[in-house]
Amino acid sequence: MKKIIFIMCLFMISCSQKTVPLFLRGTIKDIDKNLNDTLKFDFKTYPEYISTSKQHFGLGLSIRNERKLWRESLLKNWFRLNGINHPDDMSGIILTTYHRKLNEKDINFREQKQFYKTYWKLTKKSKDSLKVWYDSYKSTRIESEKIYSEIFRNPRNVMGYEIALSKSKKDYKEVKYIAESISIDKHQINLKVLYIESFNDEYNLSLKVDDTIKVFIDDIYLIPLK
């Protein structure tokens, strides 16, 4: 009887539309604590679709590994109780929840769950059904990319990392740079390098200040305006 009551409580907590579900609060708190101001600003500023897609293999990967979503954990079992079985979907919900929290939006956990449940249900039907469903979100994706482009309508400073190879070519390190956006082409941005952090002269870096480079959005982070 106690087990049934416990499970019912879990579902009641999960149904809260405005707040972060209880079982996600520790995870969200840790993410917020560990992200530096630049990464947090970058994640918050972009539209939800852009931010969560961008961080699927970054922050999302860390969440899947550190929260043991590929193995057994209390958090994974909680997601399963809510009908979410794939670790990618679990981390997707966590990223979406954190993005909405940062932007003071309703969490809408039930809506998030339903999105993934519908996806997996349609994969068992037909490709045509899945395509129709996916296309129904096309306007959201287009609007997200429009908002994203507007952010770079005027020059903005961004932070990125470039690989510096050791002279022996047996080792490498990431060197931070600051650049100013020049123009944007869908998911790529043209930049002018303004600053490169100092690094050991045992490494070689082809990038120089005043160079112009083209990078993907996934490779740079928006710096807060002063």
Side-chain angles (χ1 to χ4, degrees):
M1 184 64 181
K2 289 183 178 179
K3 185 176 181 181
I4 294 174
I5 293 174
F6 176 69
I7 292 174
M8 287 178 65
C9 288
L10 284 180
F11 277 100
M12 287 175 66
I13 291 168
S14 300
C15 288
S16 174
Q17 294 295 79
K18 294 186 177 181
T19 61
V20 176
L22 180 61
F23 265 65
L24 291 186
R25 290 177 190 173
T27 300
I28 296 299
K29 183 177 180 181
D30 287 345
I31 293 172
D32 193 65
K33 178 181 178 181
N34 294 327
L35 281 187
N36 63 46
D37 290 342
T38 297
L39 297 186
K40 190 181 299 184
F41 178 79
D42 179 86
F43 185 77
K44 175 183 178 180
T45 303
Y46 294 138
E48 181 181 297
Y49 167 74
I50 299 289
S51 283
T52 54
S53 298
K54 174 180 177 179
Q55 287 297 337
H56 178 74
F57 291 108
L59 181 56
L61 179 61
S62 297
I63 291 170
R64 292 190 289 277
N65 291 336
E66 293 173 7
R67 298 291 163 171
K68 300 179 181 179
L69 298 182
W70 289 107
R71 292 175 284 174
E72 289 300 319
S73 66
L74 185 61
L75 182 59
K76 181 174 183 176
N77 289 334
W78 176 80
F79 269 116
R80 282 175 169 170
L81 284 172
N82 280 280
I84 304 300
N85 298 300
H86 199 292
D88 284 349
D89 301 344
M90 297 174 190
S91 63
I93 287 176
I94 292 171
L95 288 173
T96 299
T97 297
Y98 182 51
H99 189 273
R100 292 180 182 181
K101 184 178 185 301
L102 285 177
N103 287 282
E104 300 181 348
K105 295 182 177 180
D106 290 350
I107 303 305
N108 289 328
F109 182 65
R110 280 181 295 188
E111 167 201 279
Q112 294 191 59
K113 288 192 298 181
Q114 191 57 49
F115 176 87
Y116 292 104
K117 289 179 180 180
T118 300
Y119 169 80
W120 288 109
K121 182 179 179 180
L122 291 176
T123 58
K124 297 176 181 179
K125 288 189 175 182
S126 68
K127 291 183 178 179
D128 289 340
S129 297
L130 185 61
K131 185 179 184 304
V132 170
W133 173 79
Y134 183 76
D135 286 346
S136 69
Y137 289 92
K138 186 174 182 180
S139 61
T140 300
R141 296 194 299 272
I142 292 174
E143 181 62 23
S144 294
E145 296 195 2
K146 180 181 178 182
I147 295 171
Y148 157 66
S149 297
E150 284 293 321
I151 291 172
F152 292 96
R153 176 179 289 275
N154 298 313
R156 293 291 298 268
N157 284 1
V158 300
M159 178 184 75
Y161 293 89
E162 186 73 9
I163 297 297
L165 287 174
S166 64
K167 292 180 179 178
S168 65
K169 296 185 179 180
K170 294 181 179 181
D171 190 20
Y172 72 90
K173 68 177 301 181
E174 292 184 330
V175 178
K176 182 173 72 175
Y177 67 83
I178 305 295
E180 181 182 67
S181 63
I182 300 172
S183 61
I184 182 171
D185 179 19
K186 292 187 177 180
H187 294 287
Q188 289 186 300
I189 300 177
N190 293 303
L191 304 172
K192 179 180 179 180
V193 179
L194 304 176
Y195 161 83
I196 300 174
E197 72 173 345
S198 59
F199 58 95
N200 193 310
D201 59 10
E202 293 180 3
Y203 292 84
N204 291 319
L205 183 69
S206 59
L207 189 67
K208 302 184 297 297
V209 171
D210 290 332
D211 278 355
T212 56
I213 56 176
K214 177 178 283 190
V215 301
F216 286 97
I217 179 179
D218 291 3
D219 297 327
I220 54 97
Y221 302 93
L222 194 63
I223 294 176
L225 294 169
K226 295 182 178 180

PDB file of all heavy atoms in Angstrom, residues 181-200:
ATOM      1  N   SER A 181      31.181  38.915 -33.995  1.00  0.00           N
ATOM      2  CA  SER A 181      30.428  38.394 -35.131  1.00  0.00           C
ATOM      3  C   SER A 181      30.392  39.418 -36.261  1.00  0.00           C
ATOM      4  O   SER A 181      30.257  40.622 -36.034  1.00  0.00           O
ATOM      5  CB  SER A 181      29.002  38.043 -34.693  1.00  0.00           C
ATOM      6  OG  SER A 181      28.306  39.197 -34.261  1.00  0.00           O
ATOM      7  N   ILE A 182      30.525  38.928 -37.473  1.00  0.00           N
ATOM      8  CA  ILE A 182      30.480  39.774 -38.667  1.00  0.00           C
ATOM      9  C   ILE A 182      29.169  39.552 -39.416  1.00  0.00           C
ATOM     10  O   ILE A 182      28.471  40.491 -39.785  1.00  0.00           O
ATOM     11  CB  ILE A 182      31.670  39.466 -39.598  1.00  0.00           C
ATOM     12  CG1 ILE A 182      32.997  39.722 -38.874  1.00  0.00           C
ATOM     13  CG2 ILE A 182      31.584  40.318 -40.863  1.00  0.00           C
ATOM     14  CD1 ILE A 182      34.212  39.261 -39.659  1.00  0.00           C
ATOM     15  N   SER A 183      28.856  38.293 -39.638  1.00  0.00           N
ATOM     16  CA  SER A 183      27.618  37.935 -40.337  1.00  0.00           C
ATOM     17  C   SER A 183      27.235  36.513 -39.953  1.00  0.00           C
ATOM     18  O   SER A 183      28.039  35.765 -39.395  1.00  0.00           O
ATOM     19  CB  SER A 183      27.787  38.058 -41.862  1.00  0.00           C
ATOM     20  OG  SER A 183      28.797  37.166 -42.310  1.00  0.00           O
ATOM     21  N   ILE A 184      25.995  36.145 -40.285  1.00  0.00           N
ATOM     22  CA  ILE A 184      25.499  34.824 -39.932  1.00  0.00           C
ATOM     23  C   ILE A 184      24.865  34.169 -41.154  1.00  0.00           C
ATOM     24  O   ILE A 184      24.212  34.841 -41.957  1.00  0.00           O
ATOM     25  CB  ILE A 184      24.479  34.921 -38.778  1.00  0.00           C
ATOM     26  CG1 ILE A 184      23.987  33.530 -38.372  1.00  0.00           C
ATOM     27  CG2 ILE A 184      23.316  35.821 -39.125  1.00  0.00           C
ATOM     28  CD1 ILE A 184      23.149  33.545 -37.110  1.00  0.00           C
ATOM     29  N   ASP A 185      25.106  32.880 -41.311  1.00  0.00           N
ATOM     30  CA  ASP A 185      24.546  32.122 -42.423  1.00  0.00           C
ATOM     31  C   ASP A 185      23.978  30.822 -41.861  1.00  0.00           C
ATOM     32  O   ASP A 185      24.696  29.835 -41.708  1.00  0.00           O
ATOM     33  CB  ASP A 185      25.629  31.834 -43.459  1.00  0.00           C
ATOM     34  CG  ASP A 185      25.105  31.025 -44.636  1.00  0.00           C
ATOM     35  OD1 ASP A 185      23.876  31.002 -44.825  1.00  0.00           O
ATOM     36  OD2 ASP A 185      25.920  30.412 -45.343  1.00  0.00           O
ATOM     37  N   LYS A 186      22.681  30.865 -41.523  1.00  0.00           N
ATOM     38  CA  LYS A 186      22.004  29.731 -40.894  1.00  0.00           C
ATOM     39  C   LYS A 186      22.725  29.328 -39.607  1.00  0.00           C
ATOM     40  O   LYS A 186      22.708  30.058 -38.632  1.00  0.00           O
ATOM     41  CB  LYS A 186      21.875  28.582 -41.881  1.00  0.00           C
ATOM     42  CG  LYS A 186      20.928  28.895 -43.034  1.00  0.00           C
ATOM     43  CD  LYS A 186      20.689  27.677 -43.897  1.00  0.00           C
ATOM     44  CE  LYS A 186      19.686  28.003 -45.005  1.00  0.00           C
ATOM     45  NZ  LYS A 186      19.422  26.841 -45.888  1.00  0.00           N
ATOM     46  N   HIS A 187      23.402  28.163 -39.612  1.00  0.00           N
ATOM     47  CA  HIS A 187      24.031  27.680 -38.384  1.00  0.00           C
ATOM     48  C   HIS A 187      25.521  27.992 -38.312  1.00  0.00           C
ATOM     49  O   HIS A 187      26.228  27.480 -37.439  1.00  0.00           O
ATOM     50  CB  HIS A 187      23.816  26.167 -38.235  1.00  0.00           C
ATOM     51  CG  HIS A 187      22.382  25.799 -38.030  1.00  0.00           C
ATOM     52  ND1 HIS A 187      21.720  26.038 -36.848  1.00  0.00           N
ATOM     53  CD2 HIS A 187      21.480  25.224 -38.853  1.00  0.00           C
ATOM     54  CE1 HIS A 187      20.472  25.617 -36.943  1.00  0.00           C
ATOM     55  NE2 HIS A 187      20.294  25.130 -38.152  1.00  0.00           N
ATOM     56  N   GLN A 188      25.991  28.842 -39.220  1.00  0.00           N
ATOM     57  CA  GLN A 188      27.396  29.234 -39.199  1.00  0.00           C
ATOM     58  C   GLN A 188      27.528  30.742 -39.043  1.00  0.00           C
ATOM     59  O   GLN A 188      26.696  31.507 -39.526  1.00  0.00           O
ATOM     60  CB  GLN A 188      28.099  28.782 -40.487  1.00  0.00           C
ATOM     61  CG  GLN A 188      28.288  27.271 -40.575  1.00  0.00           C
ATOM     62  CD  GLN A 188      29.116  26.884 -41.782  1.00  0.00           C
ATOM     63  OE1 GLN A 188      28.738  27.166 -42.922  1.00  0.00           O
ATOM     64  NE2 GLN A 188      30.242  26.238 -41.548  1.00  0.00           N
ATOM     65  N   ILE A 189      28.598  31.146 -38.351  1.00  0.00           N
ATOM     66  CA  ILE A 189      28.828  32.567 -38.088  1.00  0.00           C
ATOM     67  C   ILE A 189      30.224  32.945 -38.547  1.00  0.00           C
ATOM     68  O   ILE A 189      31.201  32.221 -38.293  1.00  0.00           O
ATOM     69  CB  ILE A 189      28.691  32.867 -36.576  1.00  0.00           C
ATOM     70  CG1 ILE A 189      27.286  32.506 -36.084  1.00  0.00           C
ATOM     71  CG2 ILE A 189      28.975  34.332 -36.278  1.00  0.00           C
ATOM     72  CD1 ILE A 189      27.092  32.710 -34.601  1.00  0.00           C
ATOM     73  N   ASN A 190      30.324  34.071 -39.229  1.00  0.00           N
ATOM     74  CA  ASN A 190      31.624  34.625 -39.601  1.00  0.00           C
ATOM     75  C   ASN A 190      32.104  35.536 -38.472  1.00  0.00           C
ATOM     76  O   ASN A 190      31.359  36.407 -38.009  1.00  0.00           O
ATOM     77  CB  ASN A 190      31.516  35.418 -40.907  1.00  0.00           C
ATOM     78  CG  ASN A 190      31.199  34.518 -42.091  1.00  0.00           C
ATOM     79  OD1 ASN A 190      31.934  33.576 -42.381  1.00  0.00           O
ATOM     80  ND2 ASN A 190      30.099  34.791 -42.773  1.00  0.00           N
ATOM     81  N   LEU A 191      33.331  35.320 -38.046  1.00  0.00           N
ATOM     82  CA  LEU A 191      33.870  36.037 -36.894  1.00  0.00           C
ATOM     83  C   LEU A 191      35.197  36.713 -37.206  1.00  0.00           C
ATOM     84  O   LEU A 191      35.957  36.251 -38.065  1.00  0.00           O
ATOM     85  CB  LEU A 191      34.110  35.058 -35.728  1.00  0.00           C
ATOM     86  CG  LEU A 191      32.937  34.220 -35.226  1.00  0.00           C
ATOM     87  CD1 LEU A 191      33.446  33.186 -34.226  1.00  0.00           C
ATOM     88  CD2 LEU A 191      31.879  35.107 -34.595  1.00  0.00           C
ATOM     89  N   LYS A 192      35.465  37.789 -36.454  1.00  0.00           N
ATOM     90  CA  LYS A 192      36.782  38.415 -36.470  1.00  0.00           C
ATOM     91  C   LYS A 192      37.397  38.217 -35.092  1.00  0.00           C
ATOM     92  O   LYS A 192      36.815  38.611 -34.080  1.00  0.00           O
ATOM     93  CB  LYS A 192      36.683  39.908 -36.781  1.00  0.00           C
ATOM     94  CG  LYS A 192      38.047  40.612 -36.784  1.00  0.00           C
ATOM     95  CD  LYS A 192      37.909  42.091 -37.092  1.00  0.00           C
ATOM     96  CE  LYS A 192      39.277  42.763 -37.071  1.00  0.00           C
ATOM     97  NZ  LYS A 192      39.178  44.220 -37.362  1.00  0.00           N
ATOM     98  N   VAL A 193      38.580  37.606 -35.054  1.00  0.00           N
ATOM     99  CA  VAL A 193      39.228  37.283 -33.780  1.00  0.00           C
ATOM    100  C   VAL A 193      39.776  38.556 -33.131  1.00  0.00           C
ATOM    101  O   VAL A 193      40.523  39.318 -33.751  1.00  0.00           O
ATOM    102  CB  VAL A 193      40.360  36.264 -33.987  1.00  0.00           C
ATOM    103  CG1 VAL A 193      41.047  35.947 -32.655  1.00  0.00           C
ATOM    104  CG2 VAL A 193      39.823  34.990 -34.620  1.00  0.00           C
ATOM    105  N   LEU A 194      39.393  38.772 -31.852  1.00  0.00           N
ATOM    106  CA  LEU A 194      39.816  39.955 -31.112  1.00  0.00           C
ATOM    107  C   LEU A 194      40.900  39.659 -30.091  1.00  0.00           C
ATOM    108  O   LEU A 194      41.739  40.512 -29.786  1.00  0.00           O
ATOM    109  CB  LEU A 194      38.606  40.565 -30.382  1.00  0.00           C
ATOM    110  CG  LEU A 194      37.396  40.946 -31.222  1.00  0.00           C
ATOM    111  CD1 LEU A 194      36.279  41.447 -30.320  1.00  0.00           C
ATOM    112  CD2 LEU A 194      37.769  42.003 -32.259  1.00  0.00           C
ATOM    113  N   TYR A 195      40.880  38.441 -29.542  1.00  0.00           N
ATOM    114  CA  TYR A 195      41.792  38.105 -28.441  1.00  0.00           C
ATOM    115  C   TYR A 195      42.026  36.602 -28.415  1.00  0.00           C
ATOM    116  O   TYR A 195      41.117  35.818 -28.679  1.00  0.00           O
ATOM    117  CB  TYR A 195      41.176  38.555 -27.117  1.00  0.00           C
ATOM    118  CG  TYR A 195      41.755  37.900 -25.889  1.00  0.00           C
ATOM    119  CD1 TYR A 195      42.923  38.371 -25.299  1.00  0.00           C
ATOM    120  CD2 TYR A 195      41.133  36.787 -25.324  1.00  0.00           C
ATOM    121  CE1 TYR A 195      43.455  37.754 -24.173  1.00  0.00           C
ATOM    122  CE2 TYR A 195      41.651  36.175 -24.196  1.00  0.00           C
ATOM    123  CZ  TYR A 195      42.812  36.655 -23.626  1.00  0.00           C
ATOM    124  OH  TYR A 195      43.333  36.046 -22.511  1.00  0.00           O
ATOM    125  N   ILE A 196      43.250  36.198 -28.106  1.00  0.00           N
ATOM    126  CA  ILE A 196      43.596  34.796 -27.924  1.00  0.00           C
ATOM    127  C   ILE A 196      44.356  34.680 -26.616  1.00  0.00           C
ATOM    128  O   ILE A 196      45.335  35.417 -26.382  1.00  0.00           O
ATOM    129  CB  ILE A 196      44.472  34.264 -29.078  1.00  0.00           C
ATOM    130  CG1 ILE A 196      43.733  34.390 -30.409  1.00  0.00           C
ATOM    131  CG2 ILE A 196      44.881  32.815 -28.821  1.00  0.00           C
ATOM    132  CD1 ILE A 196      44.576  34.024 -31.617  1.00  0.00           C
ATOM    133  N   GLU A 197      43.927  33.787 -25.748  1.00  0.00           N
ATOM    134  CA  GLU A 197      44.605  33.647 -24.463  1.00  0.00           C
ATOM    135  C   GLU A 197      46.020  33.121 -24.672  1.00  0.00           C
ATOM    136  O   GLU A 197      46.311  32.422 -25.642  1.00  0.00           O
ATOM    137  CB  GLU A 197      43.826  32.715 -23.537  1.00  0.00           C
ATOM    138  CG  GLU A 197      43.862  31.255 -23.909  1.00  0.00           C
ATOM    139  CD  GLU A 197      43.214  30.366 -22.873  1.00  0.00           C
ATOM    140  OE1 GLU A 197      42.990  30.827 -21.735  1.00  0.00           O
ATOM    141  OE2 GLU A 197      42.909  29.199 -23.201  1.00  0.00           O
ATOM    142  N   SER A 198      46.893  33.460 -23.759  1.00  0.00           N
ATOM    143  CA  SER A 198      48.282  33.013 -23.867  1.00  0.00           C
ATOM    144  C   SER A 198      48.365  31.506 -23.620  1.00  0.00           C
ATOM    145  O   SER A 198      47.552  30.938 -22.889  1.00  0.00           O
ATOM    146  CB  SER A 198      49.163  33.758 -22.855  1.00  0.00           C
ATOM    147  OG  SER A 198      48.701  33.541 -21.533  1.00  0.00           O
ATOM    148  N   PHE A 199      49.340  30.856 -24.235  1.00  0.00           N
ATOM    149  CA  PHE A 199      49.521  29.422 -24.048  1.00  0.00           C
ATOM    150  C   PHE A 199      50.990  29.075 -24.191  1.00  0.00           C
ATOM    151  O   PHE A 199      51.791  29.859 -24.717  1.00  0.00           O
ATOM    152  CB  PHE A 199      48.673  28.626 -25.050  1.00  0.00           C
ATOM    153  CG  PHE A 199      48.963  28.945 -26.493  1.00  0.00           C
ATOM    154  CD1 PHE A 199      49.849  28.193 -27.233  1.00  0.00           C
ATOM    155  CD2 PHE A 199      48.331  30.031 -27.107  1.00  0.00           C
ATOM    156  CE1 PHE A 199      50.121  28.499 -28.561  1.00  0.00           C
ATOM    157  CE2 PHE A 199      48.584  30.332 -28.434  1.00  0.00           C
ATOM    158  CZ  PHE A 199      49.491  29.576 -29.164  1.00  0.00           C
ATOM    159  N   ASN A 200      51.344  27.908 -23.715  1.00  0.00           N
ATOM    160  CA  ASN A 200      52.720  27.436 -23.729  1.00  0.00           C
ATOM    161  C   ASN A 200      53.260  27.382 -25.150  1.00  0.00           C
ATOM    162  O   ASN A 200      52.595  26.875 -26.058  1.00  0.00           O
ATOM    163  CB  ASN A 200      52.772  26.048 -23.076  1.00  0.00           C
ATOM    164  CG  ASN A 200      54.196  25.611 -22.766  1.00  0.00           C
ATOM    165  OD1 ASN A 200      55.064  25.668 -23.617  1.00  0.00           O
ATOM    166  ND2 ASN A 200      54.405  25.164 -21.536  1.00  0.00           N
TER     167      ASN A 200
END
